[in-house]
Amino acid sequence: MVDLDLEKFFDRVNHDGLMARVAARLSDKRVLRLIRAFLKAGVMEDGLVSPVDEGTPQGGPLSPLLSNLVLDDLDKELERRGHRFCRYADDANIYVRSRRAGERVMASVSRFLTSKLRLKVNETKSAVAQPEERKFLGFSISDDGSERRIAPKALNKFKAQIRDMTRRTRGISLPQIIEDLAPYLLGWRGYFGFCQTPRVLTNLEAWIRRRLRLYLWRQWQNGPNRFKVLQRRGVPKFHAAVAAGSPTRLWRMSGHPALQQALRNSYFDGLGLPRLYVSAHA
């Protein structure tokens, strides 16, 4: 796989070349003037606006569309050469049969981008490698192309966000925690639910519930109170006493059978905690 990343793409798009591409598709001069003004608006830093002669504003609503007008030439060139590829904005993967072929494609495509589009490949972020070794839009692909996986970096970012949202210092109720979590989980599922590794999603669900059990265990504060809550939630007296008096560290305790019995999966479902894995037959 040839994994291409364009260096400072949104900062370096040539305005005249971009406007020529827009004008080839659009005849309304008022709209053309508006787009030119958008490109020339400048960047504010420390309260001062600096004029710009190239690039499109990162995060601007028109930038992704305008970037595709520029890189449409790259798509057509790759199609002309018969390559199999996938591109999103300034990230592109080209799939080849061997490392040697990949190195040839990397060199020739880099020359095309520099000479025809005045763009430069970011050599530190680009590489020729096995698909499993690289990530694309948060995903990685198995070497034989049979499985679409969530990239480790995306998983680590997700877990860091959940840890932050369930940290012990928040001091709010569990329903409020879940209300805060729900939009993030639903959005994440809407994107990464596309993966072909359901076990990863179900393991993440279990990990989130364990984080929430840990959150409640801390809120219950001490042995006597924990004993009362466990009993109230249906844990037999002996098992509740053993769990409440346990010196086990908090994280290990969050996986204790008594705590799992008191706070079953259905309990979190009832509070509106979204599932990450939704079966196609559900």
Side-chain angles (χ1 to χ4, degrees):
M1 182 177 79
V2 180
D3 187 5
L4 282 173
D5 183 87
L6 300 181
E7 186 173 293
K8 296 184 178 179
F9 172 71
F10 288 101
D11 296 333
R12 291 185 173 173
V13 173
N14 180 269
H15 286 178
D16 292 334
L18 175 55
M19 289 306 302
R21 286 178 171 82
V22 175
R25 292 168 170 80
L26 186 69
S27 59
D28 191 324
K29 292 184 179 180
R30 294 170 301 171
V31 177
L32 292 174
R33 284 196 296 270
L34 186 62
I35 294 174
R36 174 72 79 167
F38 169 80
L39 294 173
K40 293 287 188 183
V43 178
M44 180 175 285
E45 292 180 327
D46 300 324
L48 299 175
V49 176
S50 304
V52 291
D53 297 317
E54 60 181 4
T56 66
Q58 285 209 33
L62 276 182
S63 293
L65 175 61
L66 296 175
S67 72
N68 276 335
L69 287 177
V70 174
L71 293 173
D72 186 50
D73 287 359
L74 172 62
D75 296 343
K76 288 178 177 175
E77 176 66 15
L78 295 177
E79 288 173 355
R80 187 187 67 78
R81 297 183 186 187
H83 288 309
R84 294 185 178 186
F85 67 96
C86 185
R87 180 184 66 78
Y88 183 85
D90 57 337
D91 289 324
N93 283 178
I94 307 168
Y95 305 99
V96 294
R97 294 186 180 277
S98 68
R99 181 174 291 275
R100 181 175 295 180
E103 289 168 351
R104 286 199 304 269
V105 170
M106 174 72 84
S108 64
V109 171
S110 296
R111 286 195 298 271
F112 172 83
L113 288 166
T114 301
S115 61
K116 300 293 185 181
L117 302 182
R118 303 184 191 179
L119 298 170
K120 185 179 179 183
V121 171
N122 187 329
E123 294 182 3
T124 60
K125 292 185 178 180
S126 301
V128 177
Q130 294 291 334
E132 286 185 355
E133 298 171 14
R134 307 294 292 180
K135 68 177 181 67
F136 182 59
L137 306 178
F139 290 93
S140 62
I141 307 294
S142 60
D143 287 344
D144 63 1
S146 64
E147 198 171 69
R148 189 170 50 247
R149 305 167 180 168
I150 303 172
K153 187 175 181 180
L155 287 173
N156 291 337
K157 184 177 179 181
F158 172 79
K159 285 191 167 186
Q161 179 69 18
I162 297 300
R163 286 191 186 98
D164 182 62
M165 297 176 78
T166 58
R167 65 189 183 277
R168 63 180 297 180
T169 55
R170 295 200 70 191
I172 60 177
S173 69
L174 184 66
Q176 183 61 56
I177 288 275
I178 290 176
E179 187 178 332
D180 293 347
L181 280 174
Y184 178 72
L185 295 178
L186 289 172
W188 195 90
R189 185 184 76 189
Y191 187 85
F192 286 104
F194 181 63
C195 76
Q196 295 170 308
T197 50
R199 179 63 64 85
V200 172
L201 297 179
T202 55
N203 286 345
L204 284 175
E205 287 178 358
W207 178 79
I208 293 167
R209 288 191 294 266
R210 190 167 175 178
R211 288 286 309 175
L212 296 176
R213 290 186 183 104
L214 173 63
Y215 188 83
L216 280 179
W217 191 248
R218 284 178 177 137
Q219 281 198 336
W220 296 344
Q221 294 184 339
N222 56 54
N225 191 53
R226 287 167 176 167
F227 174 73
K228 290 178 184 177
V229 176
L230 289 174
Q231 272 211 294
R232 192 165 63 242
R233 291 186 173 277
V235 179
K237 183 176 180 180
F238 174 76
H239 296 300
V242 171
S246 174
T248 304
R249 286 181 175 272
L250 290 171
W251 177 246
R252 286 190 62 190
M253 197 63 211
S254 65
H256 193 282
L259 201 52
Q260 290 185 331
Q261 182 181 350
L263 302 168
R264 297 178 184 275
N265 296 357
S266 58
Y267 169 73
F268 296 106
D269 291 339
L271 290 175
L273 181 69
R275 297 274 183 151
L276 294 179
Y277 175 64
V278 179
S279 170
H281 305 292

